[in-house]
Amino acid sequence: VTSYWLERAWTPDGTVDGLRVDVHDGVLTKVEPGQPDGAIRLAGLTVPGLANCHSHAFHRALRGRTQRQRGTFWSWREQMYDVAARLTPDLYHELARATYREMVSVGITSVGEFHYLHHQQDGTPYSDANEMGHALVEAACEAGIRLALLDTCYLAAGIGRPPEGVQVRFSDGTAEAWAERVESADRAWRDHRVRVGAAVHSIRAVPRDQMKHVVAWADDHYAPLHVHLSEQVAENEACLAAYATTPTGVLEEVGALGPRTSAVHATHLTDADVVRLGRTRTNACFCPTTERDLGDGIGPSRRLHHAGAPLTLGSDSHAVVDLFEEMRAVELDERLASQSRGHWPAAELLEAATHQGHRSLGFDRVGRIEVGAAADLVTLDTASARTAGTGADECTAVFAASGADVVSVLRDGVDVTQDVADVGVELDRVVRRIWESR
Ligand SMILES: [Zn+2]
């Protein structure tokens, strides 16, 4: 048993001073007020580990590059495909490890990796069809982050159009072939603290009659199911033309909505879509810094919450990796859209970034500082230039802090704190290698 003394902590009972916690086998076995003697001191404000519920690790190579020459959505997509075409299992592993280390450095202890880069450059599978997935599992292991590998079915360039160009790397041909590959991945990784989940890339990339196989696999394994939903207006228009209903309507028809499901973005929704997502308790995974970067729009986060759809957060394209920024962006974007303040209390945003996020990845016992939960503890400096004088409570975490204020990270009781300078060197090296390859 290892004992920690938290100078100040955000718990289900609010912010408390002087909390003594015992950790046994990665789990919190005692959480009560106490004295620091004999315990490891964590000075500052400690919050539960953060969950980054939507990541494409390889997009990290695009930061600061896709914004050149103004950077439209289409120039972004071209560069994204360029990187996707260059990656070998080796480069994918190295980039993902550096990206996950960046995440850990800002207090993220679980990541949901929306993984669709499955096959070789010409579309044929590697001798082990899950070689690219293995690269991610190893990367997560080495970085010390908990991984939900959301293996993504991607079969089409658009509704009724076969994969084009680099997209052949993404496609298994049919959803049944996808399920077969994922089944063997699930068997291989079950013992490695990896949660294998399912993903439908989008209603554009998986034909409606194929979706049922993905949904069935997730149901059979009681696994998380993630899907990009209504990120852009054009997607809704194509869907209405082909299926005479919205993307949310299609997901409802194929039985894809529910509390194990996360609708990623959920930006352009009808009133009926909000009701459908809320009634089924589908998670709404917002990625505000990416949605901002791509010019997607502002989704109805608070209306979804009122309807019953819990909020979760992701950094998606990694234009920014900082869940503190994502948390406040949800409220600040609502303010801009509504021209009024006060939609989300800070505590609810922190709950979305911690417990609710982990739950949506299939990690039910992670994300709270309470007995029986995983010992994921993230400590913030409350005396930095950003945080000093802010009260050191949940409002500090949500409206003042940045990832740079994270001074200590425990995942399952293991100290995974990163040396930030070191992470920078590793990122620089691998991103250069990628752009210089070929
Ligand atoms: Zn995405």
Side-chain angles (χ1 to χ4, degrees):
V1 174
T2 310
S3 299
Y4 294 86
W5 185 77
L6 318 184
E7 186 186 24
R8 209 165 155 81
W10 185 74
T11 73
D13 301 324
T15 306
V16 289
D17 283 315
L19 200 63
R20 214 178 149 102
V21 305
D22 284 353
V23 178
H24 180 62
D25 251 354
V27 174
L28 297 171
T29 53
K30 191 173 97 177
V31 178
E32 53 192 47
Q35 297 305 314
D37 35 289
I40 299 167
R41 293 175 73 113
L42 294 175
L45 172 68
T46 299
V47 299
L50 304 170
N52 187 358
C53 301
H54 190 65
S55 159
H56 307 281
F58 78 89
H59 290 197
R60 177 61 181 80
L62 299 166
R63 186 187 298 172
R65 294 169 179 270
T66 59
Q67 289 84 0
R68 288 182 188 150
Q69 281 138 20
R70 298 195 184 197
T72 65
F73 178 81
W74 301 107
S75 67
W76 171 83
R77 203 171 89 143
E78 211 168 286
Q79 280 172 290
M80 189 267 280
Y81 282 160
D82 189 359
V83 173
R86 290 164 189 259
L87 291 171
T88 59
D90 204 32
L91 282 172
Y92 199 37
H93 165 244
E94 221 181 295
L95 179 57
R97 181 180 58 201
T99 305
Y100 294 158
R101 289 189 65 202
E102 181 184 359
M103 290 183 196
V104 174
S105 78
V106 293
I108 293 164
T109 56
S110 296
V111 59
E113 178 67 29
F114 201 97
H115 164 57
Y116 52 82
L117 194 52
H118 302 303
H119 304 300
Q120 298 187 62
Q121 271 84 352
D122 65 357
T124 54
Y126 289 98
S127 55
D128 175 344
N130 285 305
E131 184 151 355
M132 293 297 258
H134 287 307
L136 294 171
V137 171
E138 252 173 69
C141 211
E142 289 162 6
I145 201 166
R146 187 185 292 105
L147 175 68
L149 194 113
L150 307 167
D151 197 300
T152 305
C153 186
Y154 192 121
L155 305 173
I159 299 171
R161 279 165 46 213
E164 294 160 5
V166 71
Q167 294 167 350
V168 297
R169 299 194 74 176
F170 311 161
S171 176
D172 292 294
T174 65
E176 279 159 312
W178 168 88
E180 216 170 286
R181 186 178 51 68
V182 175
E183 186 61 31
S184 72
D186 187 43
R187 270 198 305 272
W189 301 328
R190 201 167 291 164
D191 301 332
H192 292 71
R193 288 179 187 266
V194 175
R195 182 74 209 239
V196 175
V200 167
H201 180 275
S202 57
I203 60 96
R204 286 171 292 125
V206 181
R208 181 170 58 180
D209 61 350
Q210 295 282 303
M211 285 182 196
K212 60 176 182 282
H213 300 293
V214 184
V215 174
W217 190 90
D219 285 349
D220 287 350
H221 295 74
Y222 206 68
L225 172 65
H226 287 224
V227 53
H228 287 132
L229 182 76
S230 293
E231 180 177 8
Q232 303 241 333
V233 173
E235 173 187 322
N236 289 358
E237 287 168 353
C239 185
L240 281 165
Y243 299 130
T245 182
T246 61
T248 306
V250 171
L251 293 182
E252 185 178 50
E253 278 173 27
V254 300
L257 301 180
R260 272 184 294 102
T261 299
S262 290
V264 181
H265 302 302
T267 308
H268 301 284
L269 303 178
T270 64
D271 290 347
D273 291 339
V274 172
V275 170
R276 286 172 174 129
L277 293 167
R279 194 179 52 217
T280 54
R281 299 286 182 268
T282 301
N283 299 285
C285 181
F286 275 46
C287 309
T289 64
T290 290
E291 289 148 10
R292 203 188 267 174
D293 184 64
L294 294 179
D296 291 337
I298 300 169
S301 63
R302 198 62 191 174
R303 281 203 293 135
L304 282 162
H305 170 86
H306 277 308
L311 175 72
T312 63
L313 296 166
S315 66
D316 190 6
S317 69
H318 312 318
V320 173
V321 172
D322 188 337
L323 284 196
F324 302 99
E325 178 64 31
E326 305 291 347
M327 279 190 270
R328 61 180 159 262
V330 172
E331 166 64 16
L332 299 179
D333 286 353
E334 283 270 17
R335 290 182 187 183
L336 285 174
S338 67
Q339 300 175 51
S340 65
R341 305 178 86 231
H343 305 273
W344 284 93
E348 288 182 8
L349 292 169
L350 202 44
E351 172 77 3
T354 55
H355 185 60
Q356 189 57 37
H358 292 285
R359 272 182 65 177
S360 76
L361 298 176
F363 303 126
D364 291 359
R365 297 303 297 154
V366 186
R368 279 197 178 137
I369 300 177
E370 65 183 14
V371 171
D376 282 26
L377 302 174
V378 170
T379 306
L380 292 166
D381 180 359
T382 48
S384 78
R386 286 166 295 274
T387 58
T390 61
D393 59 11
E394 68 271 15
C395 287
T396 296
V398 174
F399 289 105
S402 87
D405 296 312
V406 170
V407 289
S408 159
V409 184
L410 301 184
R411 190 227 66 237
D412 294 316
V414 179
D415 187 342
V416 291
T417 310
Q418 301 286 321
D419 177 334
V420 180
D422 218 42
V423 176
V425 169
E426 193 176 324
L427 278 163
D428 186 60
R429 188 176 52 215
V430 63
V431 172
R432 263 173 214 273
R433 265 187 72 197
I434 289 165
W435 287 108
E436 285 163 8
S437 69
R438 285 216 303 196

